[in-house]
PDB file of all heavy atoms in Angstrom:
ATOM      1  N   HIS A  78       9.455   5.550  -8.705  1.00 93.00           N
ATOM      2  CA  HIS A  78       8.758   6.346  -9.710  1.00 93.00           C
ATOM      3  C   HIS A  78       8.739   5.570 -11.034  1.00 93.00           C
ATOM      4  O   HIS A  78       9.718   5.563 -11.775  1.00 93.00           O
ATOM      5  CB  HIS A  78       9.461   7.697  -9.895  1.00 93.00           C
ATOM      6  CG  HIS A  78       8.836   8.559 -10.925  1.00 93.00           C
ATOM      7  ND1 HIS A  78       7.651   9.214 -10.720  1.00 93.00           N
ATOM      8  CD2 HIS A  78       9.228   8.868 -12.172  1.00 93.00           C
ATOM      9  CE1 HIS A  78       7.336   9.897 -11.801  1.00 93.00           C
ATOM     10  NE2 HIS A  78       8.285   9.696 -12.704  1.00 93.00           N
ATOM     11  N   PRO A  79       7.625   4.850 -11.309  1.00 91.00           N
ATOM     12  CA  PRO A  79       7.550   4.079 -12.551  1.00 91.00           C
ATOM     13  C   PRO A  79       7.414   5.006 -13.766  1.00 91.00           C
ATOM     14  O   PRO A  79       6.758   6.046 -13.700  1.00 91.00           O
ATOM     15  CB  PRO A  79       6.302   3.216 -12.381  1.00 91.00           C
ATOM     16  CG  PRO A  79       5.527   3.836 -11.283  1.00 91.00           C
ATOM     17  CD  PRO A  79       6.445   4.694 -10.489  1.00 91.00           C
ATOM     18  N   LYS A  80       8.074   4.623 -14.867  1.00 89.00           N
ATOM     19  CA  LYS A  80       8.015   5.400 -16.104  1.00 89.00           C
ATOM     20  C   LYS A  80       7.765   4.463 -17.278  1.00 89.00           C
ATOM     21  O   LYS A  80       8.156   3.294 -17.242  1.00 89.00           O
ATOM     22  CB  LYS A  80       9.329   6.139 -16.358  1.00 89.00           C
ATOM     23  CG  LYS A  80       9.636   7.214 -15.377  1.00 89.00           C
ATOM     24  CD  LYS A  80      10.796   8.112 -15.751  1.00 89.00           C
ATOM     25  CE  LYS A  80      11.905   7.528 -16.537  1.00 89.00           C
ATOM     26  NZ  LYS A  80      13.040   8.416 -16.726  1.00 89.00           N
ATOM     27  N   LYS A  81       7.133   5.006 -18.292  1.00 88.00           N
ATOM     28  CA  LYS A  81       6.905   4.255 -19.527  1.00 88.00           C
ATOM     29  C   LYS A  81       7.406   5.131 -20.672  1.00 88.00           C
ATOM     30  O   LYS A  81       6.947   6.256 -20.833  1.00 88.00           O
ATOM     31  CB  LYS A  81       5.427   3.941 -19.677  1.00 88.00           C
ATOM     32  CG  LYS A  81       5.077   3.158 -20.922  1.00 88.00           C
ATOM     33  CD  LYS A  81       3.658   2.643 -20.878  1.00 88.00           C
ATOM     34  CE  LYS A  81       2.687   3.676 -21.360  1.00 88.00           C
ATOM     35  NZ  LYS A  81       1.320   3.141 -21.553  1.00 88.00           N
ATOM     36  N   GLU A  82       8.375   4.622 -21.438  1.00 86.00           N
ATOM     37  CA  GLU A  82       8.943   5.380 -22.538  1.00 86.00           C
ATOM     38  C   GLU A  82       8.726   4.620 -23.833  1.00 86.00           C
ATOM     39  O   GLU A  82       8.924   3.407 -23.889  1.00 86.00           O
ATOM     40  CB  GLU A  82      10.431   5.610 -22.316  1.00 86.00           C
ATOM     41  CG  GLU A  82      10.730   6.410 -21.059  1.00 86.00           C
ATOM     42  CD  GLU A  82      12.218   6.597 -20.815  1.00 86.00           C
ATOM     43  OE1 GLU A  82      12.993   6.560 -21.801  1.00 86.00           O
ATOM     44  OE2 GLU A  82      12.593   6.766 -19.660  1.00 86.00           O
ATOM     45  N   MET A  83       8.326   5.342 -24.878  1.00 83.00           N
ATOM     46  CA  MET A  83       8.131   4.707 -26.177  1.00 83.00           C
ATOM     47  C   MET A  83       9.487   4.498 -26.840  1.00 83.00           C
ATOM     48  O   MET A  83      10.288   5.422 -26.934  1.00 83.00           O
ATOM     49  CB  MET A  83       7.241   5.570 -27.080  1.00 83.00           C
ATOM     50  CG  MET A  83       6.897   4.861 -28.381  1.00 83.00           C
ATOM     51  SD  MET A  83       5.936   5.831 -29.546  1.00 83.00           S
ATOM     52  CE  MET A  83       4.519   6.257 -28.605  1.00 83.00           C
ATOM     53  N   ILE A  84       9.777   3.267 -27.277  1.00 84.00           N
ATOM     54  CA  ILE A  84      11.031   2.993 -27.965  1.00 84.00           C
ATOM     55  C   ILE A  84      10.834   2.959 -29.483  1.00 84.00           C
ATOM     56  O   ILE A  84      11.764   3.198 -30.219  1.00 84.00           O
ATOM     57  CB  ILE A  84      11.693   1.695 -27.455  1.00 84.00           C
ATOM     58  CG1 ILE A  84      10.734   0.520 -27.488  1.00 84.00           C
ATOM     59  CG2 ILE A  84      12.238   1.897 -26.063  1.00 84.00           C
ATOM     60  CD1 ILE A  84      11.362  -0.798 -27.089  1.00 84.00           C
ATOM     61  N   GLU A  85       9.635   2.648 -29.896  1.00 82.00           N
ATOM     62  CA  GLU A  85       9.235   2.779 -31.289  1.00 82.00           C
ATOM     63  C   GLU A  85       7.715   2.757 -31.324  1.00 82.00           C
ATOM     64  O   GLU A  85       7.078   2.481 -30.316  1.00 82.00           O
ATOM     65  CB  GLU A  85       9.839   1.696 -32.175  1.00 82.00           C
ATOM     66  CG  GLU A  85       9.434   0.274 -31.830  1.00 82.00           C
ATOM     67  CD  GLU A  85      10.106  -0.753 -32.720  1.00 82.00           C
ATOM     68  OE1 GLU A  85      11.348  -0.834 -32.689  1.00 82.00           O
ATOM     69  OE2 GLU A  85       9.382  -1.456 -33.437  1.00 82.00           O
ATOM     70  N   GLU A  86       7.156   3.082 -32.441  1.00 83.00           N
ATOM     71  CA  GLU A  86       5.699   3.210 -32.541  1.00 83.00           C
ATOM     72  C   GLU A  86       4.996   1.970 -31.975  1.00 83.00           C
ATOM     73  O   GLU A  86       5.189   0.856 -32.450  1.00 83.00           O
ATOM     74  CB  GLU A  86       5.284   3.425 -34.002  1.00 83.00           C
ATOM     75  CG  GLU A  86       3.833   3.743 -34.190  1.00 83.00           C
ATOM     76  CD  GLU A  86       3.426   5.053 -33.536  1.00 83.00           C
ATOM     77  OE1 GLU A  86       4.224   6.007 -33.536  1.00 83.00           O
ATOM     78  OE2 GLU A  86       2.297   5.106 -33.012  1.00 83.00           O
ATOM     79  N   GLY A  87       4.214   2.177 -30.904  1.00 81.00           N
ATOM     80  CA  GLY A  87       3.430   1.106 -30.312  1.00 81.00           C
ATOM     81  C   GLY A  87       4.184   0.206 -29.346  1.00 81.00           C
ATOM     82  O   GLY A  87       3.596  -0.684 -28.748  1.00 81.00           O
ATOM     83  N   LYS A  88       5.491   0.416 -29.175  1.00 88.00           N
ATOM     84  CA  LYS A  88       6.281  -0.412 -28.256  1.00 88.00           C
ATOM     85  C   LYS A  88       6.844   0.474 -27.146  1.00 88.00           C
ATOM     86  O   LYS A  88       7.418   1.528 -27.411  1.00 88.00           O
ATOM     87  CB  LYS A  88       7.421  -1.125 -28.984  1.00 88.00           C
ATOM     88  CG  LYS A  88       6.926  -2.155 -29.965  1.00 88.00           C
ATOM     89  CD  LYS A  88       8.057  -2.944 -30.544  1.00 88.00           C
ATOM     90  CE  LYS A  88       7.512  -3.961 -31.529  1.00 88.00           C
ATOM     91  NZ  LYS A  88       8.582  -4.747 -32.132  1.00 88.00           N
ATOM     92  N   TYR A  89       6.679   0.016 -25.896  1.00 88.00           N
ATOM     93  CA  TYR A  89       7.091   0.800 -24.749  1.00 88.00           C
ATOM     94  C   TYR A  89       8.098   0.045 -23.905  1.00 88.00           C
ATOM     95  O   TYR A  89       8.113  -1.182 -23.878  1.00 88.00           O
ATOM     96  CB  TYR A  89       5.871   1.155 -23.880  1.00 88.00           C
ATOM     97  CG  TYR A  89       4.925   2.089 -24.579  1.00 88.00           C
ATOM     98  CD1 TYR A  89       3.872   1.599 -25.339  1.00 88.00           C
ATOM     99  CD2 TYR A  89       5.090   3.462 -24.475  1.00 88.00           C
ATOM    100  CE1 TYR A  89       3.005   2.464 -25.993  1.00 88.00           C
ATOM    101  CE2 TYR A  89       4.226   4.331 -25.121  1.00 88.00           C
ATOM    102  CZ  TYR A  89       3.195   3.831 -25.880  1.00 88.00           C
ATOM    103  OH  TYR A  89       2.341   4.689 -26.524  1.00 88.00           O
ATOM    104  N   PHE A  90       8.899   0.811 -23.229  1.00 87.00           N
ATOM    105  CA  PHE A  90       9.904   0.284 -22.312  1.00 87.00           C
ATOM    106  C   PHE A  90       9.548   0.793 -20.923  1.00 87.00           C
ATOM    107  O   PHE A  90       9.409   1.991 -20.712  1.00 87.00           O
ATOM    108  CB  PHE A  90      11.292   0.790 -22.742  1.00 87.00           C
ATOM    109  CG  PHE A  90      12.408   0.317 -21.865  1.00 87.00           C
ATOM    110  CD1 PHE A  90      12.791  -1.013 -21.857  1.00 87.00           C
ATOM    111  CD2 PHE A  90      13.100   1.211 -21.056  1.00 87.00           C
ATOM    112  CE1 PHE A  90      13.829  -1.449 -21.061  1.00 87.00           C
ATOM    113  CE2 PHE A  90      14.137   0.786 -20.251  1.00 87.00           C
ATOM    114  CZ  PHE A  90      14.501  -0.551 -20.261  1.00 87.00           C
ATOM    115  N   HIS A  91       9.373  -0.103 -19.970  1.00 89.00           N
ATOM    116  CA  HIS A  91       8.990   0.263 -18.613  1.00 89.00           C
ATOM    117  C   HIS A  91      10.224   0.248 -17.708  1.00 89.00           C
ATOM    118  O   HIS A  91      10.989  -0.708 -17.716  1.00 89.00           O
ATOM    119  CB  HIS A  91       7.944  -0.716 -18.059  1.00 89.00           C
ATOM    120  CG  HIS A  91       6.667  -0.682 -18.821  1.00 89.00           C
ATOM    121  ND1 HIS A  91       5.631   0.153 -18.501  1.00 89.00           N
ATOM    122  CD2 HIS A  91       6.260  -1.359 -19.930  1.00 89.00           C
ATOM    123  CE1 HIS A  91       4.639  -0.014 -19.344  1.00 89.00           C
ATOM    124  NE2 HIS A  91       4.992  -0.933 -20.219  1.00 89.00           N
ATOM    125  N   THR A  92      10.392   1.324 -16.940  1.00 89.00           N
ATOM    126  CA  THR A  92      11.492   1.423 -15.985  1.00 89.00           C
ATOM    127  C   THR A  92      10.959   1.974 -14.668  1.00 89.00           C
ATOM    128  O   THR A  92       9.848   2.499 -14.609  1.00 89.00           O
ATOM    129  CB  THR A  92      12.622   2.351 -16.486  1.00 89.00           C
ATOM    130  OG1 THR A  92      12.102   3.672 -16.625  1.00 89.00           O
ATOM    131  CG2 THR A  92      13.199   1.882 -17.786  1.00 89.00           C
ATOM    132  N   THR A  93      11.764   1.864 -13.649  1.00 90.00           N
ATOM    133  CA  THR A  93      11.415   2.428 -12.349  1.00 90.00           C
ATOM    134  C   THR A  93      12.601   3.223 -11.836  1.00 90.00           C
ATOM    135  O   THR A  93      13.701   2.689 -11.710  1.00 90.00           O
ATOM    136  CB  THR A  93      11.044   1.321 -11.345  1.00 90.00           C
ATOM    137  OG1 THR A  93       9.959   0.565 -11.878  1.00 90.00           O
ATOM    138  CG2 THR A  93      10.641   1.912 -10.010  1.00 90.00           C
ATOM    139  N   ASP A  94      12.384   4.506 -11.574  1.00 92.00           N
ATOM    140  CA  ASP A  94      13.416   5.352 -10.979  1.00 92.00           C
ATOM    141  C   ASP A  94      13.297   5.294  -9.465  1.00 92.00           C
ATOM    142  O   ASP A  94      12.193   5.189  -8.925  1.00 92.00           O
ATOM    143  CB  ASP A  94      13.252   6.806 -11.429  1.00 92.00           C
ATOM    144  CG  ASP A  94      13.601   7.013 -12.898  1.00 92.00           C
ATOM    145  OD1 ASP A  94      14.274   6.146 -13.482  1.00 92.00           O
ATOM    146  OD2 ASP A  94      13.207   8.060 -13.445  1.00 92.00           O
ATOM    147  N   LEU A  95      14.433   5.391  -8.777  1.00 94.00           N
ATOM    148  CA  LEU A  95      14.452   5.492  -7.321  1.00 94.00           C
ATOM    149  C   LEU A  95      14.766   6.935  -6.971  1.00 94.00           C
ATOM    150  O   LEU A  95      15.830   7.448  -7.320  1.00 94.00           O
ATOM    151  CB  LEU A  95      15.499   4.553  -6.725  1.00 94.00           C
ATOM    152  CG  LEU A  95      15.097   3.080  -6.611  1.00 94.00           C
ATOM    153  CD1 LEU A  95      15.035   2.415  -7.958  1.00 94.00           C
ATOM    154  CD2 LEU A  95      16.037   2.350  -5.702  1.00 94.00           C
TER     155      LEU A  95
END
Side-chain angles (χ1 to χ4, degrees):
H78 179 74
K80 293 190 329 186
K81 180 169 85 170
E82 299 178 26
M83 186 183 303
I84 52 176
E85 62 182 62
E86 188 63 36
K88 293 187 180 179
Y89 293 91
F90 180 69
H91 296 270
T92 63
T93 302
D94 290 342
L95 280 71

